[in-house]
Amino acid sequence: MRKDGRISKPQYYLNIAQEVANRSTCLRRRYGAVIVNNDQIVSTGYAGAPRMTLNCTEIGSCIRQDLGVAPGEHYEWCRAVHAEQNAVIHAARFDMIGSTLYLAGVSSDTGELVKGAEPCRICKRMIINAGIERVVVLTAPGRGKILQVRDWVKSNMGDFKRVKGKLVPVMPKGY
C-alpha cells in the first residue's frame, strides 16, 4: 500500500488478473491474464475450453487430473486454452509490443495462489512473438514476481546448453 492509501499500479493489474481467473472453467487451476500497455488494459484472458465447446466444469471432470498428470506435463490432453493464450489471441500485436502481461493462478480446490506459477513453454513462445516485454506473476497477496521476456529469448527458453562449444538440446522437465 502506498502512503496515499492507494494500491500500486502493478497490484491493481494483478488484482484484476486474479478476478479474471474467477471466469476460468478449469477444474484444476484457475488462471487469469491481463495485458497492459502504456497504462491501458489491452486484453484479458482466462483458462477455458475453446468457444462453443464443452468445458471441464460442464463435463464434470478433467482428464489430466483423473490420470494424475503432474503440473507442466501433457498439456495436449487439456481442453483449456490458457489464460495467456486467450489474452494474446484477443489483442492486436501492435497493441502488445512493449507491454506487460499480469498473471494470477489460483488452485481450484483450495482457492490459494498457485506457488511458482509462470507461463508454460507454449505460452512463453506466444508471449515472445506477441512482443510482450515482461510478465508479472502474482506470488502472494500484494506481491508479484517480474519475469523479463528478453531473458527467455537470451537463454533460448532453456532449450539448449553449450557442451564443448556446441549447442545441445535439453529435454524439458516433465518428459
Side-chain angles (χ1 to χ4, degrees):
M1 190 77 66
R2 295 176 356 174
K3 288 182 182 180
D4 63 3
R6 298 173 68 199
I7 61 173
S8 68
K9 286 289 184 143
Q11 185 57 49
Y12 170 71
Y13 294 124
L14 286 169
N15 288 352
I16 293 170
Q18 190 170 4
E19 190 62 33
V20 171
N22 288 324
R23 288 284 305 151
S24 176
T25 59
C26 178
L27 294 173
R28 199 168 199 188
R29 295 220 164 81
R30 297 185 316 260
Y31 273 88
V34 177
I35 298 173
V36 177
N37 203 355
N38 296 317
D39 207 21
Q40 180 70 43
I41 294 175
V42 172
S43 181
T44 66
Y46 55 86
R51 293 180 192 276
M52 300 178 287
T53 66
L54 293 175
N55 62 57
C56 293
T57 56
E58 292 170 321
I59 295 168
S61 69
C62 164
I63 188 142
R64 290 179 68 238
Q65 196 168 28
D66 294 347
L67 295 175
V69 175
E73 295 183 20
H74 295 294
Y75 284 123
E76 70 274 14
W77 296 349
C78 181
R79 294 193 56 74
V81 177
H82 291 184
E84 307 95 310
Q85 294 169 343
N86 272 321
V88 168
I89 289 166
H90 296 116
R93 184 173 189 279
F94 179 81
D95 293 332
M96 292 186 285
I97 294 173
S99 66
T100 301
L101 186 146
Y102 293 86
L103 182 66
V106 179
S107 169
S108 293
D109 295 337
T110 65
E112 294 177 5
L113 293 177
V114 175
K115 303 281 188 251
E118 72 174 61
C120 74
R121 297 172 66 77
I122 295 168
C123 288
K124 284 180 179 180
R125 291 179 191 133
M126 292 181 74
I127 289 166
I128 290 167
N129 275 4
I132 295 168
E133 284 189 4
R134 72 198 61 76
V135 175
V136 180
V137 181
L138 184 61
T139 57
R143 293 207 169 117
K145 175 183 173 184
I146 299 172
L147 306 171
Q148 297 294 336
V149 174
R150 70 176 174 262
D151 293 339
W152 302 341
V153 173
K154 186 177 175 183
S155 71
N156 281 299
M157 293 178 38
D159 289 342
F160 300 94
K161 64 180 178 180
R162 286 210 178 271
V163 177
K164 297 181 183 178
K166 293 186 178 186
L167 288 175
V168 177
V170 174
M171 182 60 75
K173 292 178 185 175
Y175 289 90

